[in-house]
Amino acid sequence: MATDTTLRKETVDDWGSRERTPGTPPRVIVIGAGVAGLSTGCYAQMSGARTRIFEKHVLPGGCCTAWSRDGYLFDYCIEWLIGTAPGNDAHQVWRELGALDGKTVTNFELFNKVEDEHGRSVTFYNDPDRLEAHLLALSPADAPLIRAFTRDLRRFIDIELYPFLTAPALRTVRERAATLRTVLPAFRLFWRTAATPMHVFADKFQDPLLRRAFRNIFFQDPEGFPLLPYLFNMAAAHHLNAGFPQGGSLGLSRSVENRYLGLGGEVTYRARTEKILVENDRAIGIELRNGRRYFAEHIVSACDGRTTVHGLLDGRYTSPRIDKLYNDLIERPGTLFPAVVSAFVGLRGDFDPGEAHSTTHLLTDEDGRRLPGALQNSLVVQARSRYSDGFAPPGRSVLHCTYFSDYAYWKELRTRSRREYRGRKHEVADFVRTFLEHRHPGINDRIDLVDIASPATTHRYTGNHNGSILAWKAFSDADDVAARLVGKDRMRLPGLSGFSMAGQWVGMGGLIRAASTGRFAVQYLCRELGLEFRAWESEGTEPWHPGMLGELPQLDRWSAREDTGS
């Protein structure tokens, strides 16, 4: 089935021509080789189009990436991946994209551990029975709330709802009926848990640790999330459907890139798009920073949303919905998912085997003030070498320490003074070293290096507005607006044909959502181009190995051990 989608790809090179070669499939240009852009390319190739992806960076994946230093691999993005277990629609998407080809998946018995300043901790097990017993032992006085939470978790475990295969406006009567059969019996559960903010629920606990810990099940407090996403993701983890794929973030991106190239697609790296070319209110091509122009019958922007609307298209095609997203909500506090500071620690030997793979450490106000640009008094420490092989040289391991941070703080620093900017990075590294030594005496002598990535780093390499990794915050005011952009507007801009958008800036956060927007975008554009949407699972079987990551960059060429860059 796959052989007829690229028949003329090898012999036709008309990307520089306004008119495509007669008798050849329609051309589709994709801006951005993140997960959404690669997904768009894969599904368009499977559906019979000819595609070419243009990417500003030297690697695929966008934020779903990694970089290296001295034999260590610093995995940046995935903490859990929805769709790692067979038998659901999310898994089908990853199989179609080749994301899990030849890979093992690591699953953990707990979602996260939260420890306070005094060493008292709570472990959020994915098994509701074990979780309930643990919480009751910690705080018998909170039994009613504990049992209510675990009762809801059991109900979510019985629900399978992964609507990632068909674009909302194209769902058949059968598909809508199947969704209703799942949703209606649990409607009150969905409504209640979606309407109950986590902070309101958590504040009811008598135990002060539980009041703080429940907010940090997702490592740090996303602020504004209701109960529903916590229950949904813990239920997925219980089903082993929220695991960590071998190869990690860049491994996933490389696998999808390999799938795309195998389908006959083409990626051009170090190719920054400066504008989308428009003629008679139809997108006809793109112009790169070097002045070169490329043409196609359809353009898909899978990069930063504000850059697309107000940069590549000069703000010419908007609507009240677009203006609300990219003029109003994008600057409203709490609407974008926060940016993060990452401190990767290369360690000789293993991390403490008695520690959880992921722990949120609650900090005192004094310690919180010592973390540059911190938005919350907490630090997440993850033993990343337990997630997948190949993240550290033999006999060594990697820790990933993160905290939510203010992009404006780092941007202003870097703009005003590179020396001060690097100085703050040193402060982060020093804090992490001191903190780890306090918790694990003697560990400082085993630290090889500490590598820091700030929100300004994220912005520079991905273009994401304010350095946000997940774009719009789910369940914020942007959620309903973005949903209408995908469903009602079909991922298009008003008044502009031959163009659509994909990615987290239209489909909200999360890698499976990003991948699904690529599928949706192609389903919509197939109708415009007169193609039949087709998709099938990858047949790749080669076992994954670290060599598949390819050449790895050293982003800023900076670490706390050698201060030589920016």
Side-chain angles (χ1 to χ4, degrees), residues 20 49 100 119 171 191 268 270 286 304 328 403 473 519:
R20 67 179 160 119
L100 303 177
R171 288 171 189 159
W191 179 85
T268 302
R270 301 181 187 273
I286 63 171
D304 177 74
D328 175 14
Y403 63 92
K473 186 186 291 185
R519 204 177 197 274

Side-chain angles (χ1 to χ4, degrees), residues 4 24 121 132 136 159 169-170 179 260 272 337 346 353 440 479 540:
D4 64 348
T24 61
S121 66
E132 183 175 290
L136 288 173
I159 297 170
L170 301 180
T179 300
Y260 172 65
R272 181 169 186 151
F337 205 86
H440 307 278
D479 201 333

Side-chain angles (χ1 to χ4, degrees), residues 24 37 39 136 141 154 211 237 289 299 311 313 342 387 415 465 538:
T24 61
S39 171
L136 288 173
R154 292 184 185 95
R211 284 201 299 270
R289 171 170 285 185
I299 312 297
L313 288 166
S342 289
Y387 288 56
T415 301
H465 187 74
S538 169

Side-chain angles (χ1 to χ4, degrees), residues 15 28-34 51-57 260 266-273 286 288 292-295 300 303:
W15 295 101
V28 176
I29 284 176
V30 181
I31 304 169
T51 67
R52 187 167 178 178
I53 300 176
F54 293 85
E55 168 59 44
K56 61 178 286 190
H57 195 20
Y260 172 65
E266 180 180 354
V267 185
T268 302
Y269 290 105
R270 301 181 187 273
R272 181 169 186 151
T273 301
I286 63 171
L288 302 184
R292 293 181 181 174
R293 293 186 167 195
Y294 298 88
F295 299 90
V300 179
C303 64

Side-chain angles (χ1 to χ4, degrees), residues 377-404:
N377 291 338
S378 57
L379 179 72
V380 182
V381 178
Q382 297 181 330
R384 296 296 278 189
S385 298
R386 298 184 196 167
Y387 288 56
S388 178
D389 57 334
F391 284 175
R396 286 170 165 77
S397 55
V398 174
L399 304 181
H400 187 196
C401 306
T402 61
Y403 63 92
F404 284 160

Side-chain angles (χ1 to χ4, degrees), residues 98-114:
L100 303 177
D101 285 357
K103 297 179 180 179
T104 59
V105 174
T106 300
N107 292 284
F108 298 102
E109 63 181 6
L110 60 99
F111 207 92
N112 190 34
K113 175 183 173 183
V114 181

Side-chain angles (χ1 to χ4, degrees), residues 26 38 60 90 121 129 139 144 147 150 170 197 267 273 283 311 333 368 371 428 453 462 492 518 521 533 544:
L38 290 169
S121 66
D129 295 337
S139 180
R147 290 197 172 100
T150 54
L170 301 180
V267 185
T273 301
L371 273 178
V428 175
T462 68
R492 307 295 178 89
F533 177 80
W544 172 264

Side-chain angles (χ1 to χ4, degrees), residues 43-94:
Y43 286 115
Q45 288 289 139
M46 283 188 270
S47 298
R50 287 185 291 140
T51 67
R52 187 167 178 178
I53 300 176
F54 293 85
E55 168 59 44
K56 61 178 286 190
H57 195 20
V58 299
L59 291 175
C63 287
C64 190
T65 191
W67 59 95
S68 68
R69 191 177 307 282
D70 297 349
Y72 290 97
L73 183 69
F74 301 140
D75 188 81
Y76 185 62
C77 177
I78 300 176
E79 291 171 316
W80 73 90
L81 184 72
I82 294 296
T84 52
N88 60 83
D89 291 349
H91 185 77
Q92 180 178 327
V93 171
W94 294 129

